[in-house]
Amino acid sequence: MLEEFVELQPTPKGYTPKRDPVKFGLMKIGGGYARGTLFIRRDVLAQVGFSTWRCKIMLGKGSRAHQVAVIPDPQGPFELSSTARKGKAVDPAAETFRVMLPLVEAFPDVSSAATERDYKIEVSLKSKVLVVDLPPFCWDKGSRDRLVKGKAAS
């Protein structure tokens, strides 16, 4: 009878689960509108060449409507903030930073959990740019309508 079961082992002490390198979600704070939120691990930021926590963020259009670009810029209007809790030891390479986007009319006005997103590092005018693929509900009307309808039903 027991051959039909798989034995489980307890989680080892000090184990930290794999952290996704880049995540995107929608957050509603209070009664406000949903805002896009990017979570980016420090090692990805290092690959892009961030020397400061400030950046510019650009929303794609046309054939790139499904993407957002994060560009290191010491005078940029956005600031990446650490999500590490104060007083808690964090592996520096696994530290995650967050940046909240302003209201984007194309995004649905519902909360959506942050999920892993595909990304690539591109070179533009001798500088590196982090290009993140957005979830379909951010750029596809059908996906957006299904998400809003699903959230309204629950």
Side-chain angles (χ1 to χ4, degrees), residues 14-16 19 82-96:
Y15 168 79
T16 44
R19 295 207 196 297
S82 175
T83 61
R85 292 192 175 97
K86 292 192 183 340
K88 186 174 180 188
V90 176
D91 173 16
E95 186 177 7
T96 302

Side-chain angles (χ1 to χ4, degrees), residues 109-111 144-154:
D109 187 24
V110 295
S111 290
R144 182 173 38 253
D145 292 345
R146 281 190 297 279
L147 177 68
V148 170
K149 192 178 289 185
K151 293 286 183 174
S154 50

Side-chain angles (χ1 to χ4, degrees), residues 24-27 33-38 57-60 65-68 100-110 134-140 144 147-148:
F24 178 87
L26 293 172
M27 293 179 68
Y33 291 102
R35 293 172 48 192
T37 307
L38 275 169
I57 298 179
M58 300 177 74
L59 187 63
H66 65 289
Q67 296 175 320
V68 66
M100 290 194 72
L101 307 181
L103 174 65
V104 176
E105 294 291 330
F107 295 175
D109 187 24
V110 295
L134 294 170
F137 57 75
C138 288
W139 49 271
D140 176 61
R144 182 173 38 253
L147 177 68
V148 170

Side-chain angles (χ1 to χ4, degrees), residues 37-106:
T37 307
L38 275 169
F39 296 90
I40 308 167
R41 266 197 359 214
R42 180 187 291 270
D43 56 341
V44 174
L45 295 172
Q47 291 173 39
V48 178
F50 270 79
S51 61
T52 175
W53 301 123
R54 300 208 68 79
C55 62
K56 290 192 306 189
I57 298 179
M58 300 177 74
L59 187 63
K61 57 184 179 179
S63 65
R64 290 201 175 231
H66 65 289
Q67 296 175 320
V68 66
V70 181
I71 305 139
D73 182 353
Q75 278 76 46
F78 293 95
E79 183 174 9
L80 297 160
S81 59
S82 175
T83 61
R85 292 192 175 97
K86 292 192 183 340
K88 186 174 180 188
V90 176
D91 173 16
E95 186 177 7
T96 302
F97 291 82
R98 175 185 72 202
V99 63
M100 290 194 72
L101 307 181
L103 174 65
V104 176
E105 294 291 330

